[in-house]
Amino acid sequence: MITLERAQKMIEVALAKGAEESWKPLTAVVLDAGGHIIAFARGDGAAPGRFDIARAKAYGAVMLGMGGKAQMARAEAQAYFMNAVNGIYGGQTCPVPGGVLIRDAEGGVIGAIGVTGDTSDNDADAALAGIEAAGFAGEA
């Protein structure tokens, strides 16, 4: 289970990684395994619409059981499938890097973090740094 404290740690480290690397301001959302929000933060200067993007990245990851990189590859190979999935989930997914699965010590999916604000690859790197700092394993 992802506690509030650990979710906040993931977000704190993800946003700090972006600041350390001089990336654009990041926004991060942590969801539980059911797709419910545990914690959220928008870095100083981040656009307000970034919340929805971060949530969609995380939501797609947790609902499909695959990270954003795998979702993007699937979208490129089978756009019709990912379009259908997005329709099924009411337009709530964003199949690009930055949506990262959070796995427990046994490898089970316990949630996801969505990070947005810079390049998608940098977003994913920030998410992975946060996950690791909280003691979990991530799958980008």
Side-chain angles (χ1 to χ4, degrees):
M1 177 176 127
I2 303 170
T3 63
L4 176 60
E5 181 180 2
R6 288 174 103 178
Q8 290 173 326
K9 178 72 170 177
M10 284 183 241
I11 291 170
E12 174 189 327
V13 170
L15 271 57
K17 169 108 175 139
E20 289 166 12
E21 299 289 341
S22 298
W23 295 339
K24 294 176 184 173
L26 300 179
T27 297
V29 177
V30 176
L31 306 180
D32 66 16
H36 304 100
I37 297 170
I38 300 172
F40 155 74
R42 182 169 53 94
D44 294 339
R50 290 290 179 174
F51 166 79
D52 294 316
I53 297 168
R55 184 184 173 283
K57 286 182 175 187
Y59 192 77
V62 78
M63 288 295 118
L64 293 171
M66 65 174 75
K69 290 182 182 184
Q71 289 178 62
M72 188 169 84
R74 186 79 183 262
E76 289 170 346
Q78 295 179 308
Y80 61 89
F81 174 76
M82 291 307 290
N83 284 333
V85 165
N86 204 26
I88 291 165
Y89 291 122
Q92 296 183 66
T93 66
C94 184
V96 297
V100 181
L101 289 174
I102 304 166
R103 294 186 179 274
D104 62 17
E106 290 77 40
V109 174
I110 57 172
I113 182 172
V115 176
T116 186
D118 203 77
T119 67
S120 292
D121 287 335
N122 287 348
D123 295 345
D125 288 347
L128 288 166
I131 291 168
E132 182 179 315
F136 296 117
E139 180 183 325

